[in-house]
Structure formats: structure tokens, C-alpha cells
Amino acid sequence: DTGVSQDPRHKITKRGQNVTFRCDPISEHNRLYWYRQTLGQGPEFLTYFQNEAQLEKSRLLSDRFSAERPKGSFSTLEIQRTEQGDSAMYLCASSLGQGAWETQYFGPGTRLLVL
Amino acid sequence: GNSVTQMEGPVTLSEEAFLTINCTYTATGYPSLFWYVQYPGEGLQLLLKATKADDKGSNKGFEATYRKETTSFHLEKGSVQVSDSAVYFCALSYGIQGAQKLVFGQGTRLTINP
């Protein structure tokens, strides 16, 4: 069990550019979550996948954000036309889905800085 | 709605001191409650959890009891170590489309001095 991995760990980009992040969940975990964490705050839910289906999206996820999980394995989060307000840590978590006993395991995060 | 409020930091203690980090929640229904810890440069790690009222979660000397009557889940440790220095997050989870959405507090930074 290698844990949840995310790539890249750090990304610096200029305003207006597109960026894409990748998350590899723990193998056989059917649920995958994306959260965003700004400085000094707790993570906030962005979206969730059950296998390959995206079942829930937060209102925080504007039209510039898109997430995919092809084949129910790894997931990507793309931000188009980045803005300075997108600067944050983007966290991925996966779980096996056991109802109230579910535990989400987090990756190390991708820190995005938009200049 | 669902929300979590936790004690503002930063908190600075000496080694072997007693630790309490307060956490209260607002929720519809019966959420599960969690404490996550974030060490410098690392991702969030689950510290402990409780899934129903009066349950006590415990791990690595830390404890928290799910108190429905006071809507609280305070984190305690009897004797802290320098290695406990980290940011601690209280969270609740509730069901969405069959899964569990986590709602976090703002985090409490803890520094333990030798």
C-alpha cells in the first residue's frame, strides 16, 4: 500500500495559464475526493467521484475547473485561465467507502501559486 | 448547515504539558467526527475518529469523546512531546450521494517547546 500520491507537488504559473494536477489513489479505493486548502484555513470540499462517475460538485468549483477520473483509477483536476485567487493547496483523498465508518486518506497535496 | 469551529491558535506548550484543543460542531443529523493532523511538509493524516455519541476515539496518546449534548469533540493529550508539533484539524462528515463529505475547522497550530 503506497498511499495516495499527487503530482506535481508544487506548481507556479502565470495568470491566464491552464494547469493540470494528477492524483493516484490507493489501489482498489472506489471513492476519490478533491479538496482545496487556502493559507490558514481548513480544506474545503470541491468534488467527489464514485469509481469513474463524478457525483457531487461544490459551488466553489467554477466553470474554469474540471475534474475527471477515467476508468475509475487516477484523477486529474484542470484549472483553465488561472486567477490569483486560485492559489492554494489542492488535496486529493481516497476511500474504500464504508458509510459512516469511511476513512479518507489524503495525499501530500499540490501547492499552486498563480503570479 | 454543517460547520466546525475549533480553538484558535497558535498554541505553544512546554514538553510534558497537558493539551486540550476545543472543537464544537453544528450539524443536521448524526455526523461522524474526526481529528486530522498535518505535520510540516506532509499531507493530512487521520489521528482519531468517533462515529456515534459517547464514542471515544484514541490514538498515540490523544483522545476525544463525541459529546452530542454539547456538540463537542475536544482533543486531549496528557503529556505532549516536541514531535506533536503540527497543525490539528477537527472535522465532521455527512452523507452525500452515498459518500461522506468532510467539513473541516480552520485548524490549530501547536508548537511544543523542549
Side-chain angles (χ1 to χ4, degrees):
Chain A
D1 184 353
T2 57
V4 179
S5 61
Q6 293 186 245
D7 185 69
R9 294 290 304 273
H10 303 273
K11 179 71 177 178
I12 300 174
T13 191
K14 293 183 180 178
R15 190 175 52 188
Q17 297 295 304
N18 298 344
V19 295
T20 300
F21 310 140
R22 177 181 170 122
C23 170
D24 286 90
I26 293 171
S27 59
E28 299 181 357
H29 276 192
N30 57 342
R31 292 178 180 166
L32 188 147
Y33 301 81
W34 285 98
Y35 292 83
R36 182 171 69 185
Q37 184 180 15
T38 53
L39 206 60
Q41 300 297 316
E44 294 175 290
F45 171 84
L46 290 179
T47 189
Y48 146 67
F49 290 85
Q50 173 89 23
N51 299 312
E52 67 276 9
Q54 188 174 17
L55 296 184
E56 179 82 10
K57 288 196 289 188
S58 163
R59 57 181 171 76
L60 294 175
L61 217 61
S62 76
D63 292 344
R64 297 183 297 104
F65 288 71
S66 62
E68 294 182 342
R69 193 184 181 197
K71 302 179 184 177
S73 56
F74 71 92
S75 176
T76 58
L77 178 68
E78 181 184 16
I79 308 174
Q80 296 182 327
R81 305 181 303 281
T82 53
E83 301 173 356
Q84 288 183 327
D86 297 332
S87 296
M89 175 79 85
Y90 290 84
L91 297 168
C92 174
S94 71
S95 73
L96 199 48
Q98 297 167 310
W101 290 269
E102 171 179 307
T103 296
Q104 295 182 28
Y105 295 88
F106 283 81
T110 294
R111 186 172 293 282
L112 172 66
L113 178 60
V114 181
L115 302 177
Chain B
N2 298 294
S3 66
V4 174
T5 301
Q6 63 181 101
M7 178 174 167
E8 287 200 23
V11 174
T12 302
L13 296 172
S14 298
E15 206 165 20
E16 299 183 3
F18 183 85
L19 169 71
T20 299
I21 301 178
N22 291 337
C23 171
T24 57
Y25 67 90
T26 302
T28 52
Y30 304 96
S32 294
L33 300 175
F34 303 82
W35 278 99
Y36 278 85
V37 58
Q38 190 171 36
Y39 297 103
E42 298 184 18
L44 288 166
Q45 299 176 25
L46 178 67
L47 182 58
L48 53 84
K49 68 178 184 182
T51 57
K52 61 183 188 298
D54 299 325
D55 265 3
K56 178 186 282 189
S58 61
N59 186 26
K60 299 182 181 180
F62 290 90
E63 292 183 339
T65 301
Y66 190 140
R67 300 284 188 202
K68 185 166 173 248
E69 63 277 11
T70 54
T71 62
S72 65
F73 193 55
H74 304 321
L75 182 68
E76 297 182 336
K77 186 175 185 183
S79 176
V80 293
Q81 306 300 313
V82 172
S83 58
D84 294 327
S85 298
V87 181
Y88 291 80
F89 292 92
C90 184
L92 64 80
S93 73
Y94 66 96
I96 51 158
Q97 300 267 6
Q100 294 291 315
K101 176 178 174 179
L102 286 170
V103 175
F104 288 87
Q106 77 272 30
T108 302
R109 181 175 298 278
L110 173 67
T111 300
I112 307 299
N113 293 322

